[in-house]
Amino acid sequence: MTKHDNIYANPLGDVAGFRFDQSVVEVFPDMIQRSVPGYTTIVAMIGTLAERYAQSGSRCYDLGSSLCAATLSMRHRIPAANCEIIAVDNSSAMVEQARKVLAADSGQVPVQLICDDLQNVAIENASVVVLNFTLQFVPVEQRLAIAQKIHDGLRPGGILIISEKVDFTDPDHRELMIDLHHSFKRANGYSELEIAQKRTALENVLIPETLDTHRERLKAVGFTSVDVWFQCFNFASLIAIKGKADK
């Protein structure tokens, strides 16, 4: 049974930077459902997109796989033959729990689970790559190289699905989206203290960018088609497609 997220329910004298440690792993399904509007839809549609774009004999990557929600969504929807899913996360606590999740799953597509930084993992023979609320935790100066590596490792016609918390250039709109997100969290049972302490914990750990910044970066590394397919408040997901003429 999923544990209730109460990590920030009591006053903390010193709010440490957010980490995907054992305490977060234990409550992660509850935390992400109550914190990210549209998360269930995004995960389900990752499976739908993999069903369409996974190519026979290719690899599908879930980078920053946490407890393998996106991996499982793909695993149960991919019809292409001889596919393999590579799930990568740098939290040993997450990977340990994810192994149990995968062991209890009945999906037939083989999954290789790797505990490492995604920067260290080669992207090869890929048809689908997923960054589901992952890039936002990577230092900004490393994001272009990651995007380039993913593009170059994709087969022509392959896709990158990237979901992120996003920023806005208009300060009034930024504050509105933040307020609406906090209202969403209140409606899901989080207190003002929890919201404030979680925000402090994520400061300088989760660095959001604007949708235009994401589009420009993905176009710069060679993706031929890039745009948003889902957005709710300051959370969005984009599809970037590698053109079939690319080599």
Side-chain angles (χ1 to χ4, degrees), residues 199-213:
R199 188 175 186 180
T200 299
L202 287 170
E203 190 175 4
N204 300 321
V205 175
L206 189 164
I207 309 297
E209 297 175 296
T210 66
L211 287 169
D212 282 344
T213 298

Side-chain angles (χ1 to χ4, degrees), residues 71-223:
T71 291
L72 294 178
S73 185
M74 290 192 288
R75 192 182 203 185
H76 288 275
R77 296 297 297 272
I78 291 173
N82 302 316
C83 283
E84 178 186 21
I85 299 172
I86 311 295
V88 181
D89 202 282
N90 66 359
S91 165
S92 58
M94 279 287 187
V95 170
E96 182 179 348
Q97 182 61 28
R99 290 194 193 283
K100 298 174 185 176
V101 171
L102 291 170
D105 180 67
S106 61
Q108 298 301 304
V109 178
V111 177
Q112 180 184 166
L113 186 57
I114 298 172
C115 186
D116 202 347
D117 291 336
L118 64 90
Q119 294 92 325
N120 299 329
V121 176
I123 308 298
E124 299 172 329
N125 189 32
S127 59
V128 178
V129 177
V130 175
L131 285 166
N132 203 35
F133 302 106
T134 299
L135 197 65
Q136 60 199 23
F137 292 105
V138 173
V140 173
E141 64 273 13
Q142 297 179 23
R143 296 178 187 182
L144 180 65
I146 289 169
Q148 189 69 69
K149 178 174 74 169
I150 291 170
H151 172 272
D152 294 348
L154 277 165
R155 288 183 177 185
I159 65 164
L160 166 63
I161 305 163
I162 175 170
S163 310
E164 291 276 288
K165 187 175 185 180
V166 296
D167 196 9
F168 302 89
T169 55
D170 183 290
D172 292 333
H173 193 72
R174 177 189 297 123
E175 288 307 309
L176 173 61
M177 293 299 104
I178 291 171
D179 287 347
L180 289 170
H181 178 221
H182 289 173
S183 294
F184 171 84
K185 295 181 81 169
R186 289 186 202 100
N188 282 326
Y190 283 116
S191 67
E192 296 298 335
L193 177 65
E194 288 175 292
I195 292 169
Q197 292 192 140
K198 177 74 172 291
R199 188 175 186 180
T200 299
L202 287 170
E203 190 175 4
N204 300 321
V205 175
L206 189 164
I207 309 297
E209 297 175 296
T210 66
L211 287 169
D212 282 344
T213 298
H214 285 291
R215 290 188 186 99
E216 290 164 8
R217 178 188 295 123
L218 294 170
K219 285 293 187 73
V221 301
F223 285 101

Side-chain angles (χ1 to χ4, degrees), residues 1-2 21-22 24-29 66-68 91-104 113:
M1 184 176 178
T2 300
D21 57 15
Q22 186 61 41
V24 170
V25 171
E26 290 175 357
V27 301
F28 186 72
S66 60
L67 297 183
C68 287
S91 165
S92 58
M94 279 287 187
V95 170
E96 182 179 348
Q97 182 61 28
R99 290 194 193 283
K100 298 174 185 176
V101 171
L102 291 170
L113 186 57

Side-chain angles (χ1 to χ4, degrees), residues 7 55 194:
I7 291 175
Q55 301 176 25
E194 288 175 292

